């Protein structure tokens, strides 16, 4: 089963406008974390924002905010006042807080397929 | 700059060969993760180490192996390379297992 779903392969936004990138997830684990990463054309993965499953407030980091709706299992990224430099691929990822057979914890990330955002001047 | 370094940036090799990718985590980070990004598979978790100990394995082929050394740097060894191993390989690190993972710039591997 797909654990992270990003239904928008591509999105376009006008410079200075806000844009929402969708992400839905699937887990039965009560403890998990949700992340957004940006991947510009140069290839590096840049961490943007994090939301914990127990956090009561939506996370914000500068122009980025995460619209966390736990009951709907969605974690949409909102970018306000888009800039040309925001053009990139955006990945939603989930970390499930798991325990392996040896009793030690591990926290791999599962990524969605990504959304390519293009900001027009 | 995330503080995670990876070498080399690019690697071109032939089928059947073996290569080693190196990663130095951010100062203070104990956990290292390896991911593979390809066009058909997307971003996939390969393996995780914590303070020298393997913690989890994902979709890592038997031809691939990794280790984390006492100085916390990590190496990913890819052997008997096939065309399909061509991908961008990322290393990420975090302070602890449940913390945010910061990614290195990646190593772009091309197998000809």
């Amino acid at each position: 089963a797909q654990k992270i779903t990003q239904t928008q392969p591509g999105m376009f936004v006008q410079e200075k406008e806000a844009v929402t990138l969708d992400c839905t997830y699937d887990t039965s684990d009560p403890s998990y974390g949700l992340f957004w990463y940006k991947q510009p054309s140069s290839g590096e993965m840049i961490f943007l924002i994090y939301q914990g499953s127990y956090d009561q407030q939506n996370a914000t980091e500068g122009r980025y905010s995460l619209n966390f709706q736990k009951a709907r299992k969605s974690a949409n990224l909102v970018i306000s006042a888009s800039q040309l430099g925001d053009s990139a691929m955006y990945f939603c990822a989930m970390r499930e807080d798991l325990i392996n057979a040896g009793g030690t914890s591990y926290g791999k990330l599962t990524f969605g397929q990504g959304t390519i955002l293009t900001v027009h001047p | 700059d995330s503080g995670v370094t990876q070498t080399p940036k690019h690697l071109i090799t032939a089928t059947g060969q073996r290569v080693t990718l190196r990663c130095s985590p951010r100062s203070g980070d104990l956990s290292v993760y390896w991911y593979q990004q390809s066009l058909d598979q997307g971003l996939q978790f390969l393996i995780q180490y914590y303070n020298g100990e393997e913690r989890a394995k994902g979709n890592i082929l038997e031809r691939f192996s990794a280790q984390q050394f006492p100085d916390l740097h990590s190496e990913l060894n890819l052997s008997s390379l096939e065309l399909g191993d061509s991908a961008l390989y990322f290393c990420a690190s975090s302070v602890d297992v449940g913390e945010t993972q910061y990614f290195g710039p990646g190593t772009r591997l091309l197998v000809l």
Side-chain angles (χ1 to χ4, degrees), chain B residues 98-109:
Chain B
E99 301 297 320
T100 296
Q101 295 177 29
Y102 293 90
F103 282 70
T107 292
R108 200 171 291 273
L109 173 67

Side-chain angles (χ1 to χ4, degrees), chain A residues 3-64:
Chain A
K3 290 206 165 191
I4 295 283
T5 304
Q6 294 182 252
T7 56
Q8 307 152 316
M11 287 286 285
F12 295 89
V13 66
Q14 207 73 24
E15 199 178 4
K16 296 179 188 166
E17 306 229 320
V19 63
T20 298
L21 306 184
D22 294 342
C23 172
T24 56
Y25 61 93
D26 183 27
T27 182
S28 54
D29 190 345
S31 176
Y32 53 90
L34 296 157
F35 300 80
W36 280 91
Y37 287 86
K38 171 184 177 182
Q39 186 175 37
S41 56
S42 51
E44 72 264 40
M45 292 285 286
I46 301 166
F47 164 70
L48 295 178
I49 195 165
Y50 163 76
Q51 179 85 43
S53 59
Y54 294 117
D55 293 343
Q56 296 296 314
Q57 308 261 21
N58 285 344
T60 60
E61 287 284 350
R63 294 187 298 112
Y64 304 108

Side-chain angles (χ1 to χ4, degrees), chain B residues 49-61:
Chain B
Y49 282 85
Y50 178 79
N51 203 20
E53 168 196 336
E54 182 187 302
R55 278 291 178 95
K57 271 186 174 177
N59 297 326
I60 188 165
L61 299 169

Side-chain angles (χ1 to χ4, degrees), chain B residues 87-107:
Chain B
L88 184 51
Y89 291 84
F90 285 108
C91 168
S93 73
S94 64
V95 169
D96 202 343
V97 169
E99 301 297 320
T100 296
Q101 295 177 29
Y102 293 90
F103 282 70
T107 292

